[in-house]
Amino acid sequence: MKHQLLEVEKERFYLNDPCKYVIRGVIPEKYTIEAYLDGTPAGVSVEKQIARSAMERFKDGEMLGGQRVEAVISLPEKLADYEKLEVFAVFEADRQPWFKIKVSELLFKRGRPQFYIEEEKVDRAAGMCSIRGWAAAPGHVSIKLFDEEKKPIPCRVQRMSRVDVLDMFKECPVEEECGFAVELQDFHGRFLHVVMRTQDGRKSVYKMGLSAGEILKGKVRKYRKKGMNYLRANGAKALFVKSVRKLSEAANRPVEYSKWIEQHLPGPSELEKQRKTKFACEPKISLVVPLYKTRPEYLEQLIDSVKAQTYANWELCLSDGSGADSPIKELLEKYAEQDGRIKVVYHEEPLRIAENTNAAIDIATGDFIAFGDHDDVLTANAFFECVKAVNEKPETEVLYSDEDKMSIHGNKFFLPHFKPDFNLDLLCTVNYICHLFVAKRELLDKVGTLRPEFDGAQDYDFIFRCVEATEHIYHIPKILYHWRSHEDSTAENPESKLYAFEAGKRAVQAHFDRIHVPAEVYQGEYLGLYRTRYLWKEKPLVSILIPNKDHIEDLERCIKSIEEKSSYRNFEYIIIENNSTEEATFAYYKELEARNPKVRVVYWDGVFNYSEINNFGASFANGEYLLLLNNDTEVINDDWLEEMLGYCMRPDVGIVGARLYYEDDTIQHAGVVLGFGGIAGHCFVQQPRGNTGYCHRIICAQNYSAVTAACMMVRKKVFDEVGGLSADLAVAFNDIDFCLKVRDKGYLVVYNPYAELYHYESKSRGLEDTPEKKARFAKEIATLESHWPKIFEKPDPYYNVNLTLKSQDFSLKRL
């Protein structure tokens, strides 16, 4: 048992201190760490760590008896005087080996840049290889490639921002663009060396195999080294346990997008079938693209992707804003001569992006206008899927699709963005629509073209104006657009166009100004994210409804946190007493009402029914807004009520939910998706606080199908309009049903991550582990489905059909 709870996961030197060695891993509960150099004690500081993911926490049932720790070992400067470092997990008289390493290995690591190779690929048939990873040191780390004769290999190293790596090295600042990726074509030899060198000449070298033999040898070396290190540190029994676990994890490993996309893009037979398809309505699609000294190879890939479209009624409208000395004019003239559907307009003076795009729009004659960037690529079925959608829903005026990133050479696809159907509040947080975006020409004539004052976010501003003018918005849940990722592209390097994010903030602000909603927009936690604070003059009364049965410690903590932390003060409490049995509870109610004039206790004397209890409490409320709140919650941020009320006061919003954490700072609630767990479930459960989730969705204000009633604000008028919570759902799903009733009336449900509370609900609470509970649970599932049969027949509009319903982390659906 103890061996199974002993595992070293990571070990490294401090970047800024060669005498500090960090070991992170698992040891049994109550144990601590001791370290010895040839039997001489070394100083150790130990800090308990919070597991980073649900998988990490529960990957082995027996590990639940263990603890994750980080041990920092103090080493002498004259380390060469010793032979080996041994580290033990110790409790009373028990002493278990945890880690062991030769001093010669430590000396080799010491002072060198630290790195990790995340991916290496070799495709000899295509003559292409690639490598991706990160390298970190206190200063800049250069990345260069050398062949097996140690001659430099000319190549382009793409640098990337890696926030996750920065978080790893908390002891000193690390270069933000510590990530790197390299692609080589026409390579030769058996292997190459990746040399990572600091400014003062210290280096680390990674050998990458290119031939089949070297690749195999590399894998053998890697796994043999890992296995031997683990065997030395943990013993044979622990190695066996870990091997079994690794095999199990491999079966449940997340789907690799590179394999997924190969199976989901249409094959030759499907493409040929599309080419032969005749639609009742066959509108012309004009793809407008602004060009500016575009690299010829990128331009050719773009044009070839348009010419490969299976739907033929299109035109490609190109505006060359390079100026009189355009380096691509000859190439453009060749393409225009070859295909009459390719139209080009030239300009004597260089143009900025909005006016350049508008010039392309001016020569467009299509019924729909599609927008593209000059270095990106469409999938062959892009226009076909758009026209198919228009035929299915002829009223459609706006279409958008899912997208992914594409490597520099266009031969690798990664970071897919699987989007929800139209999500207004997510759009106000981030331009999630982006590519591929298509608008009906009549709509464009109504709202106008792109505005130069929003250059850098001109598309974001245009999208807002389009969605303000129409409700007929269609999302195609398919990858139809590949966004090229290179160092000058905001796809990979957001800071390459900082002005674009300032323009994006102004685009969101302009949206609120046009619809006359008082709000102020701020830059969000990451570039490209925005946060909205509402500036309503009114300060309405909020009635906080808290059902309670005994557990006065929970209730006192909840109320105390509201009283001490809430900056918004116009509220009242309705404590709904239901079936308490302890005399101390009723004495506490009297004392609470006596010392706090905002508190009123009302008494429900029926059987437990969460819906009826809250409906009963709401009948006593004086507020314009109701806040349904569990008694086992605790407020974190002082502006939580302003945050919830700000959204709830919008006339189009009916319900607002909050971000809730378990006691150990992992996510308990960040929105609800229909279909999770077979019926409905919370998003990103047990993700650590600080994680932002898929496409930053944890920290984005957005619309969801539902939010939990553990902390839910609703306008009293809306609550009454839908008849409150449904009494036939006494325990489970009443909040889901309530949200669906509110949505059915045309109101939005908003998840606001900036209202944060702890919810001390047990992680095991809610297990239906008795026949009676199972029967009740099954009955309530059937009741919920009977209320909304059409909704549960379809995918959740705020999720995506390409993502799995078997976990709440928004990972890819299995093939």
Side-chain angles (χ1 to χ4, degrees):
M1 170 69 176
K2 289 171 187 168
H3 282 290
Q4 296 177 33
L5 294 173
L6 288 163
E7 180 176 353
V8 171
E9 297 170 331
K10 293 177 182 175
E11 30 102 12
R12 65 175 181 86
F13 274 101
Y14 265 25
L15 289 180
N16 60 348
D17 189 342
C19 293
K20 299 291 186 186
Y21 199 69
V22 184
I23 306 174
R24 188 176 188 273
V26 178
I27 62 175
E29 287 284 358
K30 299 183 180 180
Y31 279 61
T32 188
I33 298 297
E34 292 180 358
Y36 298 87
L37 280 165
D38 295 349
T40 302
V44 183
S45 63
V46 181
E47 182 178 334
K48 192 169 182 178
Q49 301 289 302
I50 295 175
R52 290 170 47 191
S53 67
M55 177 63 75
E56 191 177 61
R57 186 180 290 105
F58 296 112
K59 64 184 180 182
D60 187 327
E62 295 197 7
M63 196 173 288
L64 292 176
Q67 58 176 328
R68 270 191 174 77
V69 297
E70 183 175 276
V72 180
I73 301 170
S74 297
L75 301 175
E77 289 186 16
K78 294 183 179 180
L79 191 55
D81 294 343
Y82 300 89
E83 292 186 1
K84 65 181 177 181
L85 170 68
E86 294 178 289
V87 186
F88 299 89
V90 179
F91 177 65
E92 295 179 346
D94 190 33
R95 196 161 172 259
Q96 297 288 333
W98 190 43
F99 177 75
K100 181 168 63 177
I101 188 171
K102 293 179 181 178
V103 166
S104 58
E105 293 181 52
L106 289 173
L107 290 171
F108 181 79
K109 292 181 178 184
R110 195 180 217 178
R112 296 175 184 268
Q114 296 179 32
F115 70 93
Y116 184 71
I117 302 302
E118 295 166 315
E119 182 181 69
E120 49 185 305
K121 287 188 175 182
V122 178
D123 187 339
R124 298 194 70 85
M128 186 277 292
C129 72
S130 63
I131 187 166
R132 177 171 59 85
W134 57 262
H140 175 69
V141 180
S142 66
I143 311 294
K144 294 184 179 180
L145 271 58
F146 296 83
D147 63 21
E148 58 188 289
E149 297 178 358
K150 300 185 178 180
K151 294 179 181 178
I153 301 174
C155 62
R156 193 174 179 186
V157 178
Q158 181 181 354
R159 303 305 295 253
M160 295 163 287
S161 176
R162 290 292 298 267
V163 177
D164 57 326
V165 179
L166 268 62
D167 288 343
M168 189 187 309
F169 296 99
K170 297 185 182 298
E171 67 268 21
C172 72
V174 172
E175 182 180 26
E176 186 169 342
E177 291 188 348
C178 54
F180 66 86
V182 185
E183 289 187 2
L184 289 179
Q185 293 181 317
D186 302 322
F187 61 87
H188 304 283
R190 295 174 300 140
F191 58 84
L192 59 81
H193 291 110
V194 183
V195 178
M196 295 151 279
R197 191 186 303 270
T198 62
Q199 291 170 310
D200 59 4
R202 292 173 293 122
K203 68 179 181 180
S204 293
V205 180
Y206 180 78
K207 182 179 179 181
M208 176 180 173
L210 299 176
S211 67
E214 286 294 329
I215 292 171
L216 179 60
K217 284 198 293 186
K219 288 182 177 179
V220 170
R221 278 196 305 269
K222 176 182 175 182
Y223 290 113
R224 183 180 181 278
K225 181 180 178 182
K226 289 179 70 175
M228 290 304 296
N229 287 345
Y230 195 83
L231 177 65
R232 285 197 300 267
N234 301 291
K237 184 177 180 181
L239 178 62
F240 173 77
V241 171
K242 183 170 184 178
S243 299
V244 171
R245 188 174 70 235
K246 286 289 184 182
L247 290 171
S248 174
E249 287 176 3
N252 296 294
R253 189 173 294 143
V255 178
E256 288 185 33
Y257 180 68
S258 58
K259 296 179 180 178
W260 186 96
I261 188 65
E262 290 176 1
Q263 299 190 33
H264 284 78
L265 288 176
S269 60
E270 174 60 25
L271 293 175
E272 186 58 34
K273 182 180 177 182
Q274 290 180 9
R275 290 186 182 95
K276 295 176 180 179
T277 300
K278 297 296 180 184
F279 292 103
C281 172
E282 296 192 333
K284 179 189 285 187
I285 296 179
S286 299
L287 177 66
V288 298
V289 182
L291 308 175
Y292 182 81
K293 298 183 179 179
T294 309
R295 291 187 183 184
E297 64 269 28
Y298 294 171
L299 180 58
E300 288 178 336
Q301 287 182 29
L302 166 67
I303 295 175
D304 289 347
S305 77
V306 177
K307 292 179 70 174
Q309 291 298 304
T310 57
Y311 178 75
N313 192 15
W314 56 261
E315 64 179 5
L316 176 58
C317 302
L318 304 170
S319 175
D320 184 7
S322 307
D325 59 345
S326 171
I328 54 175
K329 186 172 183 180
E330 186 177 332
L331 180 61
L332 291 170
E333 289 174 341
K334 182 190 78 171
Y335 273 110
E337 185 178 339
Q338 290 175 352
D339 194 323
R341 295 173 296 179
I342 299 175
K343 303 159 72 173
V344 187
V345 59
Y346 302 95
H347 306 279
E348 288 298 313
E349 299 294 329
L351 298 182
R352 298 189 68 177
I353 190 166
E355 58 182 343
N356 203 11
T357 307
N358 290 341
I361 293 172
D362 288 342
I363 61 172
T365 60
D367 304 290
F368 284 85
I369 308 297
F371 294 80
D373 288 344
H374 66 161
D375 50 1
D376 297 339
V377 166
L378 302 180
T379 63
N381 60 324
F383 292 162
F384 176 89
E385 295 294 344
C386 292
V387 174
K388 180 183 176 185
V390 170
N391 276 266
E392 290 174 355
K393 292 186 177 291
E395 70 277 11
T396 298
E397 294 188 279
V398 165
L399 304 103
Y400 66 94
S401 76
D402 297 339
E403 63 187 296
D404 63 14
K405 303 291 193 300
M406 176 177 66
S407 60
I408 297 173
H409 299 296
N411 49 17
K412 178 186 173 187
F413 306 105
F414 54 99
L415 290 180
H417 187 183
F418 292 110
K419 308 168 186 177
D421 290 352
F422 183 61
N423 191 320
L424 176 60
D425 285 288
L426 184 59
L427 184 63
C428 291
T429 305
V430 61
N431 182 7
Y432 82 93
I433 288 179
C434 213
H435 307 297
L436 175 69
F437 182 77
V438 183
K440 197 170 187 178
R441 181 67 196 230
E442 293 173 5
L443 179 65
L444 187 146
D445 292 340
K446 180 179 178 182
V447 305
T449 54
L450 276 60
R451 301 197 289 182
E453 60 266 37
F454 290 95
D455 264 341
Q458 70 291 330
D459 54 342
Y460 200 10
D461 170 68
F462 179 69
I463 289 170
F464 271 120
R465 288 185 284 128
C466 286
V467 300
E468 289 165 19
T470 183
E471 296 180 352
H472 304 302
I473 304 163
Y474 193 102
H475 166 226
I476 303 169
K478 294 184 178 182
I479 299 289
L480 302 183
Y481 194 97
H482 302 307
W483 190 0
R484 193 182 304 272
S485 175
H486 54 88
E487 65 266 30
D488 296 325
S489 164
T490 50
E492 188 53 64
N493 180 14
E495 292 191 358
S496 67
K497 295 181 179 178
L498 286 173
Y499 73 92
F501 301 108
E502 178 59 31
K505 185 181 80 169
R506 290 189 285 107
V508 183
Q509 186 68 60
H511 160 69
F512 286 115
D513 294 345
R514 281 191 301 273
I515 64 173
H516 306 294
V517 169
E520 188 168 0
V521 179
Y522 299 82
Q523 295 287 355
E525 294 179 49
Y526 292 90
L527 290 173
L529 299 185
Y530 305 98
R531 178 177 178 179
T532 299
R533 286 191 172 99
Y534 293 90
L535 307 174
W536 303 105
K537 292 181 180 179
E538 301 83 4
K539 305 296 180 186
L541 179 66
V542 177
S543 297
I544 304 176
L545 312 182
I546 308 177
N548 190 71
K549 177 184 178 182
D550 295 318
H551 294 282
I552 57 177
E553 297 84 2
D554 287 340
L555 181 58
E556 173 64 16
R557 179 181 56 203
C558 175
I559 293 177
K560 183 179 179 182
S561 72
I562 296 171
E563 289 293 315
E564 292 182 353
K565 294 185 179 179
S566 300
S567 53
Y568 189 88
R569 305 306 299 175
N570 193 19
F571 56 81
E572 66 174 2
Y573 300 98
I574 308 294
I575 310 300
I576 313 158
E577 153 58 31
N578 63 99
N579 302 303
S580 291
T581 58
E582 298 173 8
E583 290 184 11
T585 301
F586 298 94
Y588 171 76
Y589 290 153
K590 290 180 181 179
E591 186 268 331
L592 183 62
E593 287 182 302
R595 65 177 159 91
N596 192 332
K598 293 184 176 184
V599 174
R600 180 180 182 184
V601 180
V602 297
Y603 295 83
W604 168 260
D605 58 5
V607 297
F608 179 82
N609 182 306
Y610 182 83
S611 297
E612 291 187 341
I613 288 168
N614 277 282
N615 293 345
F616 175 72
S619 68
F620 295 92
N622 298 308
E624 293 179 56
Y625 293 85
L626 306 179
L627 179 71
L628 279 62
L629 188 66
N630 278 23
N631 65 348
D632 57 349
T633 56
E634 181 180 0
V635 172
I636 294 174
N637 56 308
D638 58 8
D639 59 347
W640 70 292
L641 274 175
E642 288 98 332
E643 284 291 342
M644 299 188 78
L645 193 57
Y647 280 92
C648 211
M649 288 177 70
R650 266 180 27 203
D652 59 334
V653 172
I655 289 173
V656 180
R659 177 165 33 164
L660 305 181
Y661 302 99
Y662 287 115
E663 188 172 5
D664 67 350
D665 279 316
T666 59
I667 294 290
Q668 192 265 346
H669 169 267
V672 171
V673 166
L674 304 182
F676 280 173
I679 184 73
H682 294 184
C683 306
F684 305 109
V685 173
Q686 294 179 0
Q687 291 286 311
R689 186 175 182 175
N691 276 20
T692 63
Y694 180 73
C695 295
H696 298 308
R697 293 280 292 267
I698 292 175
I699 60 171
C700 289
Q702 61 197 283
N703 306 122
Y704 272 113
S705 288
V707 292
T708 179
C711 181
M712 172 195 287
M713 184 175 283
V714 57
R715 198 178 310 123
K716 179 67 160 57
K717 181 180 177 182
V718 173
F719 186 90
D720 293 338
E721 183 180 351
V722 300
L725 279 68
S726 299
D728 55 352
L729 291 166
V731 178
F733 308 121
N734 34 57
D735 47 3
I736 309 298
D737 176 77
F738 179 66
C739 288
L740 295 179
K741 291 199 292 184
V742 170
R743 282 185 54 218
D744 192 51
K745 292 293 184 180
Y747 298 103
L748 295 173
V749 174
V750 177
Y751 159 69
N752 184 352
Y754 297 107
E756 298 179 88
L757 299 89
Y758 285 111
H759 185 196
Y760 294 107
E761 174 188 58
S762 167
K763 291 180 180 180
S764 62
R765 183 180 179 273
L767 294 176
E768 309 306 329
D769 51 5
T770 68
E772 294 79 12
K773 286 184 178 180
K774 289 178 180 178
R776 188 263 305 157
F777 190 70
K779 179 183 177 183
E780 292 191 322
I781 289 176
T783 300
L784 180 64
E785 290 179 330
S786 70
H787 286 186
W788 308 102
K790 291 183 179 179
I791 284 181
F792 283 99
E793 286 175 3
K794 299 176 183 178
D796 188 322
Y798 296 113
Y799 197 49
N800 188 293
V801 294
N802 296 297
L803 303 177
T804 184
L805 293 173
K806 294 184 178 180
S807 70
Q808 305 103 330
D809 59 1
F810 287 49
S811 55
L812 271 175
K813 185 186 294 183
R814 290 210 162 267
L815 303 173

